[in-house]
Amino acid sequence: MAVDYAVIVVYLAGMLAMGWWGMRRAKSKSEFLVAGRRLGPTMYSGTMAAIVLGGASTIGGVGLGYQYGLSGAWMVFTIGLGLLALSVFFSARIARLKVYTVSEMLDLRYGGRAGVISGVVMWAYTLMLATTSTIAYATIFDVLFDMNRTVAIILGGSIVVAYSTLGGMWSITLTDMVQFVVKTVGVLLLLLPIAVVKAGGFSEMKAQLPTEYFDPLGIGGETIFTYVLIYTFGMLIGQDIWQRVFTARSDTTAKWGGTVAGTYCLAYALAGAVIGTAAKVLYPKLGSPDDAFATIVKDELPVGVRGLVLAAALAAVMSTSSGALIACATVANNDIWSRLRGRITTGERDEVQDNRAFILIMGLAVIGTAIALNNVVEALTVAYNLLVGGLLVPILGGLLWKRGTAQGALAAVTVGGLAVITLMATYGILANEPVYYGLLSSLAAYIAVSLMTKPTDAAVLAAWRERLAGRAPELASEPVPAHQ
């Protein structure tokens, strides 16, 4: 394992070095939080694909393939569909807004009264997303070094917190590009073909496994529908995803770069399911489907290649973890703390230091929560249910329906959020009903209250249209150098 260890150590050291380099670039709030809004198509596509394809998409995607066969691709597939929908229909408008958070968008659209409540919901979502990603380090380091769970979480989490705190979005962008390349080589170019060959090829896989393993809908229609509601719609409104859209150099970059990243996600989804199906042939009686990835890597790959593929798993986890962490810190500082304090901005350098401090604080909170938390699936389900049930309607409503009002948005967030919480307590956290009925109640509240209240002020809507068109005069000084 010495060669494998060396590969991992070099990879981790490289992540820290890029954090140090990013610190020298991040001299303003814009540079620190959204990489100066300067990413060209290549870097934008790579980093967007990296953040949406995390540990759940890699280790979990292979596990679903082990359990259900090719239809196990649906979870990651719906993530790709969500990214495609965001990129094609909304990303150009989002990029032109030149804001930093989803709540700032809601304030612009509705007139400044929806920010704090929506910020709290978004903060809870990003905190849980960062936490569940951090927990995944325990699985990977256990395979590598037979490491204690708590030590593994502290080690992996500390590296992500370090490079994210140092350079903000510039460090995360650079590390995500490396992580994208490592994931592509490790999972798509190495693990996928080796797993299929070791399993005897597709003909042998079909001979060894039940026919439902090759049914595209074998996982079940209701499960697929739930994935669409949670993950496809979740991609449309998550702060972690929007913050990457804000990094695009232009609305064209956001649209087409995101389309490339979404298409890549669809291929990654199928690859994970095929690897899991091959693992089922090789190891038909594993204790847990989530053990499939680590087992096939540990037992079937040659020295060196094994280290690279495990580095790919680390890359998947780190990209999602760092993206969720900076999103969590941005929301905590800009949408909650600053508003509650009523703070007046005193300068860009102060903003950088404030946001750097919040990344460190939120990072420590994430590590502590990850150590204390046991059920990852339940935590992530709570996060996505609150996100979709509470925020999907007011966000998409603001983009698509000019009659929507601030009162309607607040009602949608409140009613949808409370409905989700109540139904999770009634039906169980993992039940489908909370997100179904929470979303419907949020929609009903939004439409009813918006129609019963005075339309949004014409001046607010006029300013909103100017921002959507990218013509707001205060944005003229925004830097635009190209970076590929």
Side-chain angles (χ1 to χ4, degrees):
M1 292 288 287
V3 175
D4 297 324
Y5 292 162
V7 171
I8 299 296
V9 169
V10 169
Y11 167 77
L12 294 176
M15 297 299 99
L16 291 173
M18 289 183 183
W20 183 261
W21 187 90
M23 182 177 68
R24 302 174 63 185
R25 295 293 304 270
K27 301 298 185 183
S28 70
K29 177 181 178 180
S30 176
E31 294 280 354
F32 191 82
L33 293 182
V34 291
R37 308 187 196 275
R38 290 193 278 176
L39 298 192
T42 303
M43 290 190 74
Y44 180 84
S45 298
T47 57
M48 183 62 88
I51 188 177
V52 300
L53 296 173
S57 300
T58 304
I59 299 170
V62 171
L64 287 171
Y66 183 89
Q67 190 172 2
Y68 298 105
L70 297 186
S71 67
W74 272 106
M75 184 187 78
V76 184
F77 202 82
T78 56
I79 290 173
L81 291 178
L83 185 52
L84 284 171
L86 174 72
S87 301
V88 172
F89 299 113
F90 300 109
S91 64
R93 281 181 282 180
I94 293 170
R96 286 195 293 265
L97 289 173
K98 298 289 173 51
V99 294
Y100 292 100
T101 69
V102 174
S103 294
E104 287 179 11
M105 167 263 168
L106 291 173
D107 279 351
L108 282 171
R109 168 59 182 82
Y110 295 112
R113 285 174 287 178
V116 174
I117 295 176
S118 62
V120 170
V121 174
M122 190 65 76
W123 173 79
Y125 158 72
T126 53
L127 180 71
M128 284 296 99
L129 184 61
T131 298
T132 53
S133 299
T134 302
I135 291 172
Y137 298 128
T139 300
I140 300 168
F141 284 118
D142 179 56
V143 175
L144 278 171
F145 308 117
D146 192 24
M147 188 178 289
N148 174 271
R149 177 182 183 275
T150 299
V151 175
I153 289 172
I154 292 173
L155 175 61
S158 296
I159 292 170
V160 170
V161 171
Y163 73 69
S164 301
T165 301
L166 286 172
M169 187 59 82
W170 266 123
S171 295
I172 292 171
T173 296
L174 293 169
T175 54
D176 276 0
M177 275 305 296
V178 174
Q179 289 158 358
F180 170 74
V181 172
V182 171
K183 276 194 288 193
T184 301
V185 174
V187 175
L188 296 184
L189 302 184
L190 293 175
L191 183 58
L192 175 61
I194 290 173
V196 172
V197 170
K198 292 283 187 177
F202 284 103
S203 59
E204 183 64 19
M205 289 162 65
K206 287 185 177 181
Q208 293 284 339
L209 296 172
T211 54
E212 55 263 29
Y213 264 71
F214 301 91
D215 179 359
L217 303 178
I219 199 170
E222 185 178 358
T223 299
I224 295 170
F225 181 66
T226 303
Y227 284 160
V228 170
L229 277 185
I230 293 177
Y231 297 114
T232 301
F233 286 124
M235 287 295 107
L236 297 180
I237 58 175
Q239 170 68 25
D240 51 324
I241 310 302
W242 277 42
Q243 199 154 343
R244 295 310 172 96
V245 176
F246 301 150
T247 66
R249 185 176 69 200
S250 65
D251 53 3
T252 303
T253 296
K255 182 175 182 178
W256 294 111
T259 301
V260 170
T263 305
Y264 177 90
C265 291
L266 303 183
Y268 199 88
L270 184 59
V274 171
I275 293 166
T277 305
K280 183 67 174 178
V281 174
L282 294 167
Y283 312 99
K285 295 183 179 180
L286 287 178
S288 167
D290 285 339
D291 293 336
F293 180 88
T295 303
I296 197 169
V297 169
K298 191 174 184 179
D299 294 349
E300 302 297 335
L301 299 185
V303 173
V305 172
R306 179 171 51 206
L308 183 59
V309 173
L310 287 171
L314 266 180
V317 175
M318 285 184 165
S319 56
T320 300
S321 181
S322 59
L325 175 59
I326 194 172
C328 179
T330 302
V331 170
N333 185 23
N334 293 268
D335 291 338
I336 301 174
W337 179 243
S338 294
R339 294 167 193 255
L340 293 177
R341 281 206 315 171
R343 179 173 59 82
I344 300 173
T345 300
T346 58
E348 288 284 288
R349 286 301 293 256
D350 291 337
E351 294 264 355
V352 170
Q353 297 304 323
D354 286 350
N355 283 291
R356 183 172 281 137
F358 265 86
I359 290 180
L360 179 59
I361 293 167
M362 290 298 107
L364 294 175
V366 164
I367 292 172
T369 307
I371 292 170
L373 204 60
N374 289 320
N375 197 314
V376 178
V377 175
E378 289 191 357
L380 197 59
T381 302
V382 170
Y384 270 103
N385 282 351
L386 284 172
L387 177 72
V388 174
L391 290 180
L392 178 68
V393 169
I395 292 171
L396 294 190
L399 290 169
L400 300 173
W401 190 41
K402 66 179 182 180
R403 184 61 181 81
T405 66
Q407 294 88 342
L410 288 171
V413 174
T414 304
V415 172
L418 289 176
V420 164
I421 292 169
T422 302
L423 291 168
M424 283 192 294
T426 303
Y427 288 97
I429 289 176
L430 299 180
N432 294 327
E433 287 83 358
V435 72
Y436 293 168
Y437 298 124
L439 193 54
L440 287 173
S441 62
S442 178
L443 178 61
Y446 181 70
I447 293 174
V449 175
S450 291
L451 291 175
M452 289 189 295
T453 52
K454 185 180 178 181
T456 304
D457 185 84
V460 172
L461 287 178
W464 167 252
R465 286 191 293 269
E466 287 293 298
R467 294 297 285 259
L468 279 179
R471 293 194 298 264
E474 66 269 24
L475 303 178
S477 62
E478 199 64 53
V480 292
H483 281 263
Q484 296 295 327

Coordinates of all heavy atoms in Angstrom, one line a residue, residues 16 188 217 404:
L16 N -3.7 21.6 -0.2 CA -3.3 22.7 0.7 C -2.5 23.8 0.0 O -2.6 25.0 0.3 CB -2.5 22.1 1.9 CG -3.3 21.3 2.9 CD1 -2.4 20.6 3.9 CD2 -4.3 22.1 3.6
L188 N -14.1 7.1 -14.3 CA -14.6 6.8 -15.7 C -13.6 6.1 -16.5 O -13.9 5.1 -17.2 CB -15.0 8.1 -16.4 CG -16.1 8.9 -15.8 CD1 -16.5 10.1 -16.7 CD2 -17.4 8.1 -15.7
L217 N -36.2 1.0 -15.3 CA -37.1 1.5 -14.3 C -37.2 0.6 -13.1 O -38.1 0.7 -12.3 CB -38.5 1.8 -14.9 CG -38.5 2.7 -16.1 CD1 -40.0 2.8 -16.6 CD2 -38.0 4.1 -15.7
G404 N -46.2 37.6 -8.2 CA -45.8 37.1 -6.9 C -45.4 38.3 -6.0 O -44.7 39.2 -6.5

